[in-house]
Amino acid sequence: MLNAQQLMWTQIAAGISVLLFGLMLVNLVRMRGRMQAARSWDKVVGVITVSTVEQPEAHVSDDQNDAKPVIRYRYRAGGEELEGDKVFVGGIAMTTKVLAAKLAGRYPVGAHVDVYVDPKQPAEALLEPAAAQNLAALVAFTIVFGLIAATLTAHSVAGHVLYAGNGVPLFAFALPVIVLIGGVFCVIEYVSTRRLASASLRWPTAAGKVTRCAVVEEIVEEKTEHDNRPTTTKMQHRYQVDLRYAYKVGQRDFVGTEVNWGGTMISGLREVAEEAAAKYHPGQTVQVHYDPERPGHAVLEPASREGALGPLIGAAVCAVVGGLFLTILIKVGFA
């Protein structure tokens, strides 16, 4: 049984967790609703005026989320000249230097773009109404806080920590369940990617030109802690290809960065990245497959399966680890 003080703190923690879960759920619903509404906003022509990346001077490791792309555009709506800086619903999240540069590279200064404007509030505008950069993270955090809130609430109502038959606390079962949910997300990602690849084979095409194809080096700091020994720091080098190609659909300018739907290849060897980059060179003419409903969504090799099995491998790992852990807990807790 929990004593009075333990019960009070459990109830407080349960209340805070339920509140956070509720706020995240409301925010998630609002974000989805705003994405749906923004697709029907008025579409006007805009011009990119600023496209850069903000990053602190004290930058140690390239895997830190300490960079932010800054994109501003000018457009005319409601009889006024306006300026906007929103790309996605929910704003642009802090990310790594390479990913920030990749997003900024899609919107070079001077490019003519489609701007989606709220007809009720012309000062509210977006470049990509169908996308939300932090939606997946918000869904994951909502599920995790939902499990935490449910567990703490159950303990508060019962007045003691809930155990399985053999004394295993029930909250221990939450960890393998979260891992298994992660596996489900990986399967969903795989199915979604394969559907996208199949659909993109039937997309219209446009002539494009490679504007950049270079190998980007990332320096990642890895710290190793030893008992009773000083912490050691090792710098790891990673390499990936930064590819950009320009194309036009109608009177609009677009810059694509996707080669295929398998994700960005990251290697620990420069030679591997240079071999991948050798397929394209600046000035090369390419055939761009673009989404007719979202022309800024494009790919060069829709039929490629390179990297496509990544989500399935992740799902298999989650299934094995989560399933094994859950099986052990069930046997120990209820045998």
Side-chain angles (χ1 to χ4, degrees), residues 93-220:
M94 299 289 286
T95 184
T96 64
K97 180 179 68 174
V98 170
L99 292 180
K102 187 175 182 179
L103 178 59
R106 289 171 52 194
Y107 296 100
V109 173
H112 290 79
V113 295
D114 287 329
V115 180
Y116 294 81
V117 182
D118 187 345
K120 298 178 181 178
Q121 297 178 313
E124 287 293 319
L126 299 167
L127 295 182
E128 300 184 26
Q133 194 177 38
N134 53 358
L135 183 62
L138 182 58
V139 171
F141 277 112
T142 302
I143 292 175
V144 170
F145 269 95
L147 290 173
I148 294 174
T151 301
L152 292 175
T153 301
H155 292 339
S156 299
V157 172
H160 59 85
V161 177
L162 299 177
Y163 294 92
N166 290 341
V168 177
L170 291 185
F171 62 77
F173 289 83
L175 182 58
V177 169
I178 291 174
V179 174
L180 291 174
I181 291 175
V184 173
F185 272 90
C186 289
V187 172
I188 294 174
E189 174 68 18
Y190 173 78
V191 173
S192 176
T193 301
R194 293 317 306 157
R195 285 180 177 176
L196 180 60
S198 178
S200 61
L201 286 171
R202 300 186 295 273
W203 285 353
T205 60
K209 183 175 288 187
V210 176
T211 58
R212 175 178 170 82
C213 187
V215 174
V216 177
E217 181 182 29
E218 292 182 284
I219 301 177
V220 180

Side-chain angles (χ1 to χ4, degrees), residues 48-54 67-72 87-88 92-93 95-111 113 127-128 133 211-212 242-244 254-257:
I48 301 297
T49 56
V50 176
S51 181
T52 186
V53 174
E54 288 185 350
K68 183 178 182 180
V70 178
I71 300 169
R72 296 193 182 96
V87 178
F88 309 106
I92 299 178
T95 184
T96 64
K97 180 179 68 174
V98 170
L99 292 180
K102 187 175 182 179
L103 178 59
R106 289 171 52 194
Y107 296 100
V109 173
V113 295
L127 295 182
E128 300 184 26
Q133 194 177 38
T211 58
R212 175 178 170 82
D242 180 12
L243 174 69
R244 303 174 194 176
F254 296 96
V255 175
T257 58

